[in-house]
């Protein structure tokens, strides 16, 4: 199905099941511990062996030799895989560096060996007996030190790395009110609950991996490429994923090593990356240094806005897109964005929830607050005054302020309504404009706000839908559920389209034998995957109508019946002599090119800061979101409050500490890498504006799970400033930084 004209009235608009706060249909499996996660599969492979990964003990250099003699003699050992024994390996285009080191080592904890044994304990013990002799070479591990050597990357998220519209330098110099500030954000870990894990089994020359992967088709193709075998010989199965946040978008070492280990041991093999390896062996959100300059007239209208960002990665890696939202969030005739990428010998940097925008908001939205203070304008009002209904900077090369591209309209943009709704609900009018003016005992109390922007891209997505003689609908697609509720909203979509109750729908996900979906990434999954199911259901409705001798254009599906005029037939009767199956894909046309499809929102936060210790407590949080039709308010709220929680972590505690001498993340486990716990998080309120976007998809919906993190950390930073008068521009905002500022102010 081609989607190249705006959606009109369709069966989804009935909103009998779509749009309702339905409980997750997979909830029972998860709460009873029976959901089949990769490492816990006991039903698919006989007598699996266990692999334990040996990670490199240096960050850069080469392996002189590996002594495996003792490890091979250890009890239970079946095989040991190294680069020397693995045979020739390719490298997928989505992996920046090889997943198995040898002889070169390019980052700390890069896998150098896999020990396979009868039991996990035997594999772990034998792995300690592997002796690796390294030759260490100097490396670059400090972004600040490498900043001046950074170069222009090819692109950021497919857009130009640098843009310039009008005369930024001249307009900024002439502006009566200016902000020029530098902000830093640290490296961060995905820290998902389920580790990277895989069970691999060979049957002849055919490989099956039960793994934890967000993008089934990507993983299947990359694994085949790396092993040098046809894609058709690889089956990838991932029905349940215990969190990903972008860390499981691509093929990782667990899947490759499990496949190599199973081939070497001639047995199915399970591999789970031990927690200390996850931070360094897999990907992470890169640290950034960001300079934001904003010039404004006395009335608060922005005349010049510039955003420069530096991040680091391995050679041929990608830059953080921290300038993305600055190109599209606020009006202003004179603009500049620039992105630079330094070569660092740290582990591979890559996507993490709202890559680019999550870090970019942490700078831009604090700079907006600093501008509001200089102008003596309310921060909410400043943002409203600079709203725009056309894209000020598309991020494309060659755009000028007079070009047609500069007039690209937003399909829907309700930022002002988000800000006004949030301000009223949160009691923003009670905020004290001057900082450090509200005190409750020993607590200094402040309020903060930030706007939120996240693109709403779409991806081709396919599904297969089947009706059986009992009137049951089965949906099959390789879409994944990473905790986002995919099972439920896909079931809701099929139930609405086919006119059956939710319990008459079966959903099967995460298998490369199923039609290729959009996958779970980039906030495109919800709208794209459900649109693929919609397309398949349209085709199934047509097939059923023809089978029953009805006109597909006028037939109705409701209450388990197929109706045409006075005639009504039970749905299952159409398949009385055999199942009816339909398969289709949604293919998005030009609408996302003619209009800017985005999600927008506003975050409001109240914090309390101990006047004596600078201990920070988040007391209230509100998110107002404009993200098209909300397919399931309950699961959507869960996504947003999870993102808000991650934003708290980004503001106050999350940081991968870099040993700049030896080149690794020191706090590479959940004891040292701090994330929010229940005691850190207050009640979180979420408001969804009543919005549909016919330009976005047949569902008139967009994703929302990444919008929820954009701006949260900045709102907290702004609230801390309002409470204390201390402006901290280096995340995370730990109490020592606040306390130092309070001491200077005293």
């Amino acid at each position: 199905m081609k989607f190249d004209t705006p959606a009109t009235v369709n069966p989804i608009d009935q909103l009998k099941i779509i749009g309702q706060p339905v409980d997750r249909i997979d909830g029972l499996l998860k709460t009873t511990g029976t959901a089949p996660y990769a490492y816990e599969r006991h039903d698919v492979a006989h007598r699996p062996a266990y692999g334990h990964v040996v990670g490199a003990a240096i960050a850069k250099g080469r392996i002189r030799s590996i002594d495996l003699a003792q490890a091979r003699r250890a009890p239970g050992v079946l095989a040991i895989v190294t680069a020397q024994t693995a045979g020739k390996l390719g490298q997928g285009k989505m992996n920046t560096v090889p997943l198995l080191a040898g002889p070169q080592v390019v980052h700390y904890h890069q896998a150098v060996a896999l020990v396979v044994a009868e039991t996990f304990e035997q594999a772990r013990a034998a792995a300690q007996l592997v002796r690796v002799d390294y030759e260490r070479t100097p490396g670059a591990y400090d972004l600040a030190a490498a900043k001046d050597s950074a170069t222009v990357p090819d692109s950021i998220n497919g857009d130009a790395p640098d843009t310039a519209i009008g005369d930024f330098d001249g307009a900024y110099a002439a502006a009566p009110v200016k902000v020029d500030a530098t902000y830093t954000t640290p490296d961060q870990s995905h820290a998902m609950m389920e580790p990277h894990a895989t069970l691999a089994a060979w049957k002849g020359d055919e490989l099956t991996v039960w793994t934890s992967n967000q993008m089934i088709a990507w993983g299947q193709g990359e694994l085949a490429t790396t092993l040098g075998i046809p894609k058709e010989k690889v089956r990838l199965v991932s029905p349940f994923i215990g969190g990903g946040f972008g860390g499981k978008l691509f093929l990782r070492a667990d899947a490759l090593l499990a496949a190599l280990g199973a081939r070497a041991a001639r047995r199915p093999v399970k591999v789970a990356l031990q927690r200390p390896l996850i931070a360094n062996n897999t990907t992470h959100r890169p640290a950034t240094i960001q300079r934001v300059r904003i010039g404004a007239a006395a009335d608060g209208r922005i005349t010049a806005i510039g955003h420069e960002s530096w991040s680091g990665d391995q050679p041929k890696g990608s830059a953080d897109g921290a300038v993305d939202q600055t190109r599209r969030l606020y009006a202003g005739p004179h603009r500049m964005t620039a992105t630079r990428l330094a070569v660092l010998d740290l582990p591979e940097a890559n996507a993490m929830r709202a890559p680019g925008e999550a870090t970019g908001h942490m700078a831009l939205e604090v700079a907006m607050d600093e501008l509001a203070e200089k102008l003596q304008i309310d921060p909410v009002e400043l943002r409203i005054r600079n709203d725009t209904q056309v894209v000020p900077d598309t991020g494309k090369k060659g755009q000028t302020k007079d070009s047609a591209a500069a007039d690209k309209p937003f399909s829907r943009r309700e930022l002002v309504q988000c800000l006004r709704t949030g301000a009223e609900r949160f009691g923003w009018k009670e905020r004290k404009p001057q900082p450090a003016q509200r005190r409750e005992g020993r607590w200094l109390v402040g309020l903060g706000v930030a706007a939120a922007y996240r693109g709403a891209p779409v991806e081709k997505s396919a599904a297969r839908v089947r009706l059986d003689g009992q009137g049951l609908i089965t949906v099959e697609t390789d879409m994944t559920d990473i905790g986002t509720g995919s099972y439920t909203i896909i079931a809701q979509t099929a139930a609405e389209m086919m006119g059956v109750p939710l319990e008459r729908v079966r959903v099967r996900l995460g298998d490369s034998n199923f039609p290729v979906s959009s996958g779970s990434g980039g906030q495109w999954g919800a709208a794209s995957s459900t649109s693929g199911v919609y397309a398949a259901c349209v085709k199934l409705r047509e097939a059923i109508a023809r089978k029953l001798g009805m006109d597909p254009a006028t037939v109705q599906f409701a209450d388990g019946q197929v109706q045409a005029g006075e005639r009504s037939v039970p749905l299952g009767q159409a398949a009385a002599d055999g199942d009816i199956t339909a398969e289709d894909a949604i293919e998005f046309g030009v609408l996302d090119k003619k209009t800017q499809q985005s999600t927008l929102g506003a975050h409001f936060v109240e914090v309390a800061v101990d006047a004596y210790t600078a201990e920070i407590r988040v007391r209230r949080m509100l998110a107002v979101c404009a993200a098209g039709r909300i397919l399931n308010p309950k699961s959507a709220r869960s996504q947003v409050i999870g993102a808000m929680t991650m934003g708290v972590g980004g503001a106050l505690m999350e940081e991968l500490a870099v040993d700049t001498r030896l080149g690794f993340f020191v706090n590479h486990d959940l004891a040292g890498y701090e994330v929010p716990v229940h005691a850190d998080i207050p009640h979180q309120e979420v408001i969804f504006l009543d919005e549909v976007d016919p330009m976005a998809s047949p569902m008139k919906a967009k994703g929302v799970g990444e919008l929820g993190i954009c701006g949260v950390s900045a709102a907290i930073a702004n609230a801390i400033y309002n409470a204390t008068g201390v402006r901290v521009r280096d995340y995370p905002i730990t109490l020592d930084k606040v306390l130092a500022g309070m001491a200077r102010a005293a």
Side-chain angles (χ1 to χ4, degrees):
M1 174 186 288
K2 295 280 189 181
F3 182 70
D4 47 20
T5 58
T8 55
V9 175
N10 63 50
I12 294 297
D13 295 322
Q14 299 173 102
L15 300 182
K16 294 178 180 178
I17 301 174
I18 284 291
Q20 303 305 313
V22 174
D23 290 343
R24 294 192 181 189
I25 63 174
D26 55 326
L28 181 63
L29 294 176
K30 290 184 174 179
T31 55
T32 57
T34 53
Y37 292 92
Y39 200 75
E40 300 164 357
R41 296 302 294 259
H42 304 293
D43 57 331
V44 291
H46 180 60
R47 292 180 60 240
Y50 294 81
H52 194 84
V53 179
V54 178
I58 63 170
K60 187 177 183 181
R62 62 186 298 273
I63 299 171
R64 288 197 187 100
S65 63
I66 302 181
D67 183 355
L68 303 176
Q70 283 186 283
R72 285 196 175 110
R73 291 194 297 268
V77 170
L78 301 172
I80 301 178
V81 175
T82 68
Q84 289 181 317
T85 65
K88 183 179 179 181
L89 296 177
Q91 183 173 324
K93 63 181 180 179
M94 296 178 186
N95 290 129
T96 304
V97 300
L99 298 177
L100 181 59
Q104 298 301 314
V105 173
V106 297
H107 67 80
Y108 188 79
H109 272 170
Q110 186 181 15
V112 299
L114 178 78
V115 178
V116 180
E118 292 283 358
T119 70
F120 168 77
E121 291 79 8
Q122 288 173 332
R124 180 177 59 184
Q128 309 307 310
L129 302 176
V130 173
R131 298 289 178 259
V132 186
D133 182 24
Y134 298 100
E135 179 183 329
R136 192 191 306 269
T137 56
Y141 311 116
D142 187 339
L143 176 61
K147 175 174 174 285
D148 291 342
S149 66
T151 59
V152 181
D154 292 336
S155 68
I156 54 167
N157 300 325
D159 287 339
D162 294 358
T163 59
I165 298 173
D167 177 13
F168 168 77
D169 290 332
Y172 181 76
V177 182
K178 303 181 183 71
V179 166
D180 182 350
T182 298
Y183 309 85
T184 67
T185 65
D187 297 287
Q188 295 178 347
S189 174
H190 301 86
M192 70 288 288
M193 286 193 295
E194 182 197 20
H196 296 257
T198 300
L199 166 61
W202 291 85
K203 186 176 182 180
D205 62 351
E206 296 182 351
L207 170 67
T208 301
V209 292
W210 296 266
T211 190
S212 189
N213 186 286
Q214 296 173 228
M215 305 290 292
I216 300 299
W218 289 5
Q220 179 194 27
E222 294 285 278
L223 183 54
T225 296
T226 306
L227 292 172
I229 62 178
K231 182 179 177 180
E232 297 73 26
K233 297 292 187 179
V234 177
R235 181 185 177 196
L236 196 149
V237 185
S238 190
F240 287 92
I241 302 169
F245 310 118
K248 296 175 181 175
L249 286 173
F250 316 114
L251 176 70
R252 301 311 313 165
D254 60 295
L256 174 63
L257 291 175
L260 293 172
R263 186 164 64 185
R266 301 181 183 276
R267 289 259 297 274
V269 169
K270 288 185 176 185
V271 174
L273 290 185
Q274 51 269 43
R275 186 63 66 174
L277 254 67
I278 291 176
N280 287 288
N281 178 276
T282 68
T283 62
H284 67 283
R285 191 197 300 280
T288 68
I289 300 171
Q290 301 177 55
R291 183 187 183 190
V292 180
R293 285 176 283 172
I294 309 176
D299 66 356
R301 307 285 179 182
I302 293 173
T303 57
I305 183 167
H307 192 164
E308 300 164 88
S309 176
W310 292 261
S311 61
D313 200 359
Q314 289 275 333
K316 300 182 181 179
S318 56
D320 188 80
V323 304
D324 272 353
Q325 73 293 316
T326 306
R327 296 172 173 177
R328 301 172 177 93
L329 192 47
Y330 298 116
H334 303 283
R335 319 177 66 87
M336 175 274 294
T337 65
T339 301
R340 297 293 179 267
L341 178 63
V343 172
L344 295 179
D345 299 302
L346 292 171
E348 177 185 349
N350 217 307
M352 181 171 162
R353 198 176 201 164
E357 288 102 333
T359 49
H361 280 81
M362 293 168 82
L364 174 66
E365 286 301 293
V366 175
M368 286 294 288
D369 250 47
E370 298 197 50
L371 179 64
E373 183 179 39
K374 286 192 173 187
L375 289 163
Q376 295 187 331
I377 295 176
D378 180 83
V380 171
E381 178 59 27
L382 177 66
R383 290 167 169 84
I384 290 173
R385 288 186 192 182
N386 289 284
D387 186 42
T388 174
Q389 291 299 308
V390 297
V391 182
D393 181 349
T394 63
K396 304 304 179 186
K397 292 181 179 178
Q399 179 186 332
T400 69
K401 69 175 182 177
D402 298 321
S403 69
D407 295 325
K408 184 178 182 180
F410 286 86
S411 61
R412 291 297 301 267
R413 182 181 165 107
E414 302 293 345
L415 176 61
V416 170
Q417 188 177 347
C418 290
L419 288 162
R420 286 182 171 152
T421 300
E424 181 179 355
R425 179 69 69 92
F426 202 69
W428 183 255
K429 64 183 179 181
E430 302 301 324
R431 173 184 177 269
K432 306 293 185 184
Q434 295 299 315
Q437 297 299 304
R438 180 180 166 193
R439 185 160 180 162
E440 297 177 5
R442 65 187 293 154
W443 296 99
L444 299 169
V445 181
L447 304 184
V449 66
Y453 171 92
R454 176 68 170 142
V458 287
E459 293 285 330
K460 180 180 178 181
S461 194
R464 182 164 53 236
V465 187
R466 182 170 61 254
L467 169 69
D468 70 14
Q470 303 302 311
L472 292 174
I473 302 294
T474 299
V475 183
E476 294 175 336
T477 171
D478 82 354
M479 180 61 183
T480 50
D481 191 325
I482 58 175
T484 45
S486 299
Y487 279 100
T488 306
I489 62 169
I490 284 174
Q492 287 178 267
T493 302
E496 193 79 78
M497 289 295 294
M498 302 310 302
V500 298
L502 201 61
E503 57 270 18
R504 304 293 289 172
V505 178
R506 303 289 181 268
V507 178
R508 302 178 66 198
L509 300 181
D511 191 326
S512 59
N513 284 346
F514 299 156
V516 176
S517 72
S518 63
S520 295
Q523 196 173 262
W524 62 61
S528 298
S529 67
T530 52
S531 294
V533 175
Y534 169 93
C537 286
V538 168
K539 188 170 277 190
L540 180 61
R541 286 163 61 107
E542 293 171 350
I544 291 169
R546 287 192 295 269
K547 183 69 180 291
L548 295 175
M550 298 178 177
D551 181 5
T554 59
V555 71
Q556 300 291 316
F557 290 74
D559 302 320
Q561 299 286 313
V562 187
Q563 302 167 357
E566 298 298 319
R567 184 183 174 202
S568 181
V569 178
L571 180 62
Q573 187 173 315
D577 55 356
D579 295 355
I580 302 176
T581 302
E583 184 175 327
D584 203 358
I586 190 78
E587 295 185 59
F588 295 92
V590 298
L591 294 181
D592 63 326
K593 297 175 179 61
K594 290 181 177 179
T595 61
Q596 178 65 42
Q597 296 179 11
S598 305
T599 57
L600 292 114
H603 289 284
F604 293 81
V605 175
E606 177 181 298
V607 304
V609 182
D610 191 295
Y612 304 105
T613 68
E615 183 180 358
I616 301 165
R617 286 285 177 262
V618 179
R619 303 211 309 189
R620 287 193 296 141
M621 302 182 75
L622 167 67
V624 184
C625 303
R629 169 176 283 152
I630 301 302
L631 302 178
N632 183 326
K634 182 176 287 188
S635 60
R637 177 182 180 274
S638 292
Q639 282 299 290
V640 174
I641 64 173
M644 292 163 73
T645 301
M646 189 174 276
V648 174
L652 301 180
M653 58 194 72
E654 290 194 43
E655 176 182 17
L656 283 169
V658 182
D659 185 321
T660 56
R661 304 160 305 154
L662 300 178
F664 70 100
F665 300 129
V666 179
N667 53 335
H668 47 216
D669 57 37
L670 293 182
Y673 185 82
E674 296 185 18
V675 297
V677 297
H678 285 292
D680 297 311
I681 304 300
H683 175 73
Q684 298 159 310
E685 186 177 4
V686 181
I687 298 173
F688 296 112
L689 296 190
D690 186 10
E691 174 187 282
V692 295
D693 191 342
M695 305 291 283
S697 71
M699 307 295 291
K700 303 169 187 173
K702 304 172 183 175
V704 76
E706 297 189 338
L707 177 69
I709 194 175
C710 295
V712 175
S713 298
I716 293 170
N718 293 334
I720 291 170
Y721 177 76
N722 183 244
T724 65
V726 177
R727 181 70 73 184
V728 180
R729 300 185 181 92
D730 300 305
Y731 294 93
I733 306 172
T734 49
L735 61 85
D736 57 310
K737 298 172 186 175
V738 178
L739 196 60
M742 293 168 70
R744 285 193 297 269

